[in-house]
Amino acid sequence: MPWDTLTDEQRELRDLVRTLTRERIAPRAAEIDASSEFPHDMVELFRENDILALPFEEEHGGTGTGTLMLLVAIEEISKACATTGLILAVQELGALALKLAGTDEQRARFLPRLASGEWLAAYALTEPGSGSDSAAMRTSARREGDEYVLDGGKRFITNAGVAGLYTVFAKTEPDAGHKGISCFVVEADAPGFSVGRIEPKLGIKGSTTGEVFFDGCRIPAENLVGEEGEGFAIAMRVLDRSRPGIAAQALGIAQGATDYALDYAKDRETMGKPIAQHQLVAAKLADMETATEAARGLLYRFGRMADDGVDGPELTKASAQAKLFCSDTAMWVATEAVQILGGYGYVKEYPVERMMRDAKITQIYEGTNEIQRIVIAREMVREARESLLAGVAG
Ligand SMILES: Cc1cc2nc3c(=O)[nH]c(=O)nc-3n(C[C@H](O)[C@H](O)[C@H](O)COP(=O)(O)OP(=O)(O)OC[C@H]3O[C@@H](n4cnc5c(N)ncnc54)[C@H](O)[C@@H]3O)c2cc1C
């Protein structure tokens, strides 16, 4: 058996997800892409096999198997279908505010419905005028008796129209900058909540990405997560822990593209030998495999840190590094895979052009890679670290 750092239990679960992916998800991937329709059958498959329980603790109906295991599952699924892998990643994204800052009562009320897959979750931070600059949001929330009333709109929300629960960020103090932001749970049937346009996209085509509107939307006051004014800090803590889900999606794409290109290169012959034996192609394969393994190292390191209870700046940096490197690797590797297949890489009969389109979004959402670089450099500047050459005059 190849060397593997996972425990026996993790390996068993990974093998289950691998089998499901090979037998049930991979055969659907091209159709999901071609139809651009949300794959409800994949959600049903997840429900039947407890896959949506992976982000949750046992007390809430989850598997209690931790962060690394969740990341491994997202990676496995995304090797074949990045749209389906995203469903699992966003179940974690949409639930994390409750997991990190919800009360026991809120967790008991909402998390079991997410763990069972009865509801899908969504995370609504971005607005038309505020993406990277999320503190510039304009959606507002004001307290009226036992309720909050939300007004405004969000854009580019994954699972818009299919989620049962939306984690929403809105300003309770419009003039207080990021300190005026609060976090709420909005159920899809809340009065005044509606879903707008669903965007046609370059990749992850089966995932819905859409507008959601709050028009005098009334929710119970007990749906406030944390205290008023804590929303921005909650949003950032959530992203620290959810970005690696996107890194896992990217890693899956990179490994899927590498594996496909390798198989193809062993069979396809030019000038009397398989193209895998031409040095220029062999070098590409070697570089793809090495970058993908290095990306896995960063991602699994994050998973172990989270499972060991690491928090704060160290976790923030590790999360940004995993997201940055896995997604840049996915984009580069998938593009190389298309090149290895030559003209066949460019046509839809083969999966690598889909992988290349799917890879692109991993460099953009949950914080663009420019933002990840800013985060990493900020933490480096703050770190008290000794250099062997500090103070050595030139
Ligand atoms: C398919 C898809 C799904 C999404 N899902 C969700 C979701 O579920 N929930 C959600 O809330 N949002 C979601 N988003 C939104 C996504 O997170 C944002 O699009 C992203 O954060 C970038 O914001 P923006 O599009 O407004 O770009 P902008 O912030 O306008 O950035 C434009 C460019 O400028 C660069 N830039 C911006 N500021 C700086 C800076 N300070 N320094 C250097 N460069 C900078 C950016 O890196 C980028 O290249 C999704 C987006 C897409 C496309």
Side-chain angles (χ1 to χ4, degrees):
M1 195 192 300
W3 184 78
D4 195 332
T5 59
L6 301 184
T7 64
D8 288 349
E9 191 201 3
Q10 287 169 335
R11 235 177 284 151
E12 231 171 79
L13 253 170
R14 182 189 59 192
D15 290 348
L16 171 88
V17 178
R18 208 169 260 181
T19 305
L20 272 184
T21 302
R22 190 176 47 242
E23 292 177 358
R24 305 284 302 277
I25 300 174
R28 280 279 286 130
E31 276 167 14
I32 292 169
D33 179 64
S35 70
S36 298
E37 278 172 17
F38 182 80
H40 291 283
D41 59 329
M42 294 293 103
V43 177
E44 197 46 48
L45 182 72
F46 280 1
R47 284 189 192 119
E48 284 163 10
N49 291 279
D50 265 352
I51 300 294
L52 293 169
L54 283 166
F56 301 97
E57 297 299 331
E58 282 177 283
E59 62 174 315
H60 299 123
T63 54
T65 42
T67 302
L68 176 60
M69 191 60 238
L70 172 65
L71 297 174
V72 168
I74 297 169
E75 175 194 348
E76 287 301 322
I77 297 164
S78 303
K79 283 179 186 173
C81 180
T83 289
T84 306
L86 184 63
I87 295 172
L88 179 54
V90 175
Q91 199 71 345
E92 165 82 335
L93 168 69
L96 265 167
L98 282 164
K99 286 169 63 174
L100 295 171
T103 60
D104 289 347
E105 187 274 326
Q106 286 173 328
R107 288 191 205 130
R109 187 149 54 102
F110 294 119
L111 297 186
R113 303 178 84 166
L114 298 176
S116 68
E118 180 191 342
W119 275 351
L120 293 179
Y123 178 85
L125 179 68
T126 303
E127 297 185 4
S130 68
S132 305
D133 185 10
S134 49
M137 72 175 60
R138 299 174 72 160
T139 296
S140 68
R142 63 177 194 284
R143 177 99 191 221
E144 271 188 18
D146 292 344
E147 294 179 323
Y148 280 95
V149 182
L150 274 65
D151 281 287
K154 299 282 173 181
R155 188 153 208 200
F156 294 154
I157 305 310
T158 301
N159 282 353
V162 295
L165 178 152
Y166 294 76
T167 297
V168 177
F169 297 86
K171 286 215 158 150
T172 38
E173 264 192 82
D175 300 326
H178 67 271
K179 294 208 167 100
I181 296 172
S182 302
C183 174
F184 301 92
V185 169
V186 177
E187 293 180 36
D189 62 0
F193 173 81
S194 62
V195 176
R197 170 188 148 98
I198 301 294
E199 307 287 348
K201 305 188 292 293
L202 175 71
I204 52 160
K205 288 189 169 203
S207 174
T208 63
T209 308
E211 294 169 319
V212 295
F213 296 116
F214 311 95
D215 187 7
C217 173
R218 291 183 172 272
I219 57 168
E222 62 260 25
N223 283 17
L224 172 71
V225 182
E227 301 291 324
E228 276 193 23
E230 283 181 2
F232 188 76
I234 293 172
M236 295 303 116
R237 284 184 69 207
V238 166
L239 290 173
D240 276 353
R241 284 165 189 277
S242 66
R243 281 174 178 146
I246 299 308
Q249 182 194 31
L251 179 62
I253 296 171
Q255 191 67 65
T258 302
D259 292 351
Y260 198 89
L262 174 64
D263 259 8
Y264 185 89
K266 287 198 288 192
D267 276 354
R268 174 77 174 172
E269 293 194 7
T270 68
M271 288 125 200
K273 57 183 176 183
I275 59 170
Q277 288 178 26
H278 293 301
Q279 286 184 352
L280 289 173
V281 175
K284 279 192 199 304
L285 288 167
D287 288 346
M288 289 157 72
E289 179 90 333
T290 304
T292 302
E293 198 58 56
R296 183 171 293 110
L298 278 176
L299 181 67
Y300 286 17
R301 171 173 169 268
F302 172 90
R304 292 205 174 83
M305 286 169 76
D307 287 338
D308 282 352
V310 176
D311 207 350
E314 210 185 342
L315 194 77
T316 300
K317 184 177 162 198
S319 160
Q321 287 178 308
K323 199 285 190 172
L324 171 65
F325 195 72
C326 289
S327 58
D328 279 357
T329 298
M331 191 67 239
W332 174 74
V333 164
T335 308
E336 288 294 70
V338 170
Q339 192 70 18
I340 289 176
L341 268 72
Y344 296 93
Y346 200 71
V347 298
K348 289 198 180 281
E349 192 182 340
Y350 294 84
V352 288
E353 63 82 30
R354 165 169 54 83
M355 292 169 170
M356 182 176 148
R357 286 184 285 106
D358 287 348
K360 185 61 209 169
I361 190 58
T362 66
Q363 295 178 304
I364 296 173
Y365 58 14
E366 293 201 31
T368 64
N369 280 5
E370 287 75 22
I371 297 300
Q372 304 314 311
R373 289 182 168 92
I374 290 173
V375 169
I376 296 162
R378 186 188 62 205
E379 297 307 335
M380 289 169 68
V381 169
R382 278 189 196 154
E383 282 166 5
R385 55 198 234 185
E386 286 176 21
S387 159
L388 189 63
L389 298 179
V392 176

